[in-house]
Amino acid sequence: MNEKGQGLDVLLTETRRFAPPEHFKEGAVVSDRGLYESASADRLAFWESWAEKLDWFERWHTVLEWDPPHAKWFVGGKLNVSHNCLDRHLNGPRRNKLALIWEGEPGDVREYTYEGLHREVCQFANALKGLGVGKGDRVAIYLPMIPEAAIAMLACTRIGAPHSVVFGGFSPESLADRINDVGAKALITADGGYRRGGIIPLKENADKALESCTTIENVVVVARGADLTAKVDAHMREGRDHWYHELIADASADCAPEVMDAEDLLYILYTSGTTGKPKGVVHTTGGYLTQVAATMQCVFDLREDDIYWCTADVGWVTGHSYIVYGPLANGATVLMYEGGPDWPEKDRFWDLCEKYGVTIFYTAPTAIRAFMKWGEEWPDKHDLSKLRLLGSVGEPINPEAWMWYHRVVGKERCPIVDTWWQTETGAIMITPLPAVTETRPGSATHPFPGISVTLLDDAGAEVEAGFLAITEPWPSMLRTIYGDDERYRETYWSKWDGIYFPGDGAKRDDDGYLWLLGRVDDVLSVAGHRIGTMEVESALVDHPAVVEAAVVGKSHDVKGEVIAAFVTLKGGKDGDDDLVVELKKHVVEKIGAIARPETVIFAADLPKTRSGKIMRRLLKDVAEGKALGDMTTLADPAVVEQLKAQYEAKEG
Ligand code: 7RM
């Protein structure tokens, strides 16, 4: 299958199977395969039925207009996102239900009912209007994980002003680039936020960024809290800067939602590829909310009394879709937490789960592997018996990390939904349905109903392992790259005709399960075999001493490439030469000699993006002895510098 070097070689087989527990099936949102059947019988009618569950001011006349690569969904329909997330819950018992439970890193707590959240969103929407922000004006949001982040997003949607949220961990320069690219008229920030005991000086960063921005007319500053606000000088600039609490105090709580077209811009969110400047991913209103609301309900089996916690930051798409829009559109109770998982101790997440009775917990493999590194004693200190469903997103989850999550966090009682999707897809695309799908550790299983996925080679022929491809448009798909439609076509639609290319490799097993194998830019090419990084890394993580691994190819005269493995051990320990030999042997036993690492380096930490994805490109530079490439997307440059020094010492 791989003669032309176009597909991928399949190495690892995983035979463990987990059927949905009987107790879980009772009263499940989706309890049989009917949803798959109705979606495959009539995909557009299926999506239309989900759109009908939202509140529309005017119904659409056409479900889909598809002029590849441009899609319009629910054409002619009119709605408002904040109305769907708030107003429509106010006429029944949800009025007094908690919409948001928030805990700050220092332990301060705030709670909002749907009525309370609605009031504050309306007030802030009016405040923004008072600053001259109107329909179509872009608003940049640069906030910590505080309730005002969700409030600001919802207030923007209420007045039809597209938002662009910039993760609070980004530098002034990154913030300025995004503000300028989007031409934002207003900026919403805070004096600061807490992270691992320290203070992130957001306003100071914002002021630096604004030195190179010309479009911002007003800056709204949230006072994070008396303690922090006393320590940080916000340097409020007369005429430009306004305290959030002062604006709110004077604002009316009466604000009619703007009537938006289904295809009006909802938000722009920047995503950085491997090279080049970040892309402003454009999402619109009706299709986005439809798919986000549908997946929220079905994938997370969301029920009225759930306490739902997604640990992402609102600065990432996961925060947009599954902290704010998906849960609130469904009237859920959302837990939001400001700080780090290991502050003040490594059990903060489990403490929060216990304290608030979290029932649904959604996190990333990078976090799960950190928990594995820290040890089972931390979750074991807490009563996690309220948990009933676990989710994973962001990277392929190695089978052993999946098993750990299942056993130590889920106590072998909770189904796990491994959800594959992207900033660009807007919502979950490949995932189990927890009461229906038998899961397999490391497999995201099947496309969500109404989503059409296949595996192709370069020439567009179907293969059992190769490039993941999405063959039909879907409601929450990105519509373009902001200001650069050419780049949109080139990046996602130029590989095959009318088919979306997400940039990931995947395989299908004999039962039709999908296994994501990592980014295709990272694929290894050893002696003519193309191997996804995921399988070799999973073989390493399968060894009892290992919690995390990243493999890269290193040029070799004869073999093309040989494999260099960077490995983190349990408890962050260092390994010796015997362990190197053992790990190589372990990989050979698990998947074969072809995947035998040539070099194994023990790494206390691996280089990651700010959202926690392993950056193999930089490890490749280390392995090749090259100067380190673009490090701007890296969370902590020291990690890779340290590895470079270590590698050079070892390789001489
Ligand atoms: C939601 C998000 C997208 C990339 C994507 C993949 C990787 C995400 C999974 C996954 C394997 C998963 N958006 N990815 N989820 N790989 N299994 N369940 O992460 O735009 O930041 O990243 O993340 O490579 O293309 S994102």
Side-chain angles (χ1 to χ4, degrees), residues 289-308:
L289 196 64
T290 297
Q291 192 175 333
V292 159
T295 49
M296 181 71 217
Q297 228 180 87
C298 301
V299 174
F300 298 105
D301 185 48
L302 187 69
R303 309 197 202 171
E304 201 58 51
D305 51 1
D306 274 313
I307 306 289
Y308 165 84

Side-chain angles (χ1 to χ4, degrees), residues 103-115:
E103 186 165 310
E105 194 180 76
D108 40 341
V109 176
R110 278 155 60 189
E111 294 180 338
Y112 292 81
T113 61
Y114 271 93
E115 184 183 25

Side-chain angles (χ1 to χ4, degrees), residues 221-232:
V221 185
V222 179
R224 165 59 189 85
D227 287 350
L228 185 144
T229 303
K231 282 186 205 140
V232 172

Side-chain angles (χ1 to χ4, degrees), residues 50-278:
W50 282 103
E52 282 164 357
K53 296 188 208 299
L54 301 175
D55 257 17
W56 296 76
F57 302 133
E58 246 174 77
R59 196 184 165 93
W60 55 94
H61 53 73
T62 308
V63 179
L64 170 67
E65 277 175 18
W66 179 222
D67 177 14
H70 295 113
K72 290 183 182 161
W73 282 86
F74 309 114
V75 188
K78 310 276 181 207
L79 75 167
N80 179 282
V81 167
S82 90
H83 168 86
N84 272 280
C85 291
L86 301 167
D87 306 47
R88 69 167 170 153
H89 304 310
L90 300 185
N91 297 323
R94 282 183 186 157
R95 185 180 191 97
N96 298 315
K97 179 179 177 176
L98 286 178
L100 202 60
I101 305 171
W102 171 83
E103 186 165 310
E105 194 180 76
D108 40 341
V109 176
R110 278 155 60 189
E111 294 180 338
Y112 292 81
T113 61
Y114 271 93
E115 184 183 25
L117 191 61
H118 175 263
R119 187 185 322 112
E120 190 152 332
V121 166
C122 287
Q123 286 180 304
F124 190 48
N126 279 327
L128 287 173
K129 281 188 186 172
L131 298 176
V133 179
K135 186 170 178 171
D137 291 334
R138 277 83 60 213
V139 175
I141 298 177
Y142 182 60
L143 285 172
M145 280 288 286
I146 55 178
E148 288 80 0
I151 291 165
M153 291 163 74
L154 290 162
C156 287
T157 73
R158 194 159 194 90
I159 63 174
H163 57 67
S164 183
V165 181
V166 180
F167 173 56
F170 275 123
S171 65
E173 199 186 328
S174 302
L175 174 61
D177 288 347
R178 286 158 176 77
I179 288 174
N180 289 332
D181 193 71
V182 90
K185 192 171 180 184
L187 170 65
I188 304 163
T189 187
D191 45 8
Y194 289 103
R195 185 77 192 182
R196 305 188 69 211
I199 291 175
I200 305 175
L202 291 166
K203 178 58 164 55
E204 194 184 313
N205 290 350
D207 283 336
K208 272 189 211 144
L210 292 181
E211 286 167 17
S212 47
C213 299
T214 54
T215 57
I216 298 285
E217 294 168 5
N218 289 284
V219 179
V220 179
V221 185
V222 179
R224 165 59 189 85
D227 287 350
L228 185 144
T229 303
K231 282 186 205 140
V232 172
D233 185 347
H235 293 286
M236 299 297 281
R237 188 196 287 186
E238 187 73 40
R240 185 195 72 175
D241 300 352
H242 318 269
W243 285 110
Y244 174 93
H245 57 272
E246 289 176 3
L247 293 177
I248 288 287
D250 298 338
S252 153
D254 191 4
C255 177
E258 194 74 33
V259 175
M260 302 300 286
D261 191 272
E263 281 300 332
D264 275 338
L265 226 171
L266 176 62
Y267 68 78
I268 299 142
L269 181 61
Y270 285 82
T271 182
S272 36
T274 39
T275 49
K277 75 174 177 91

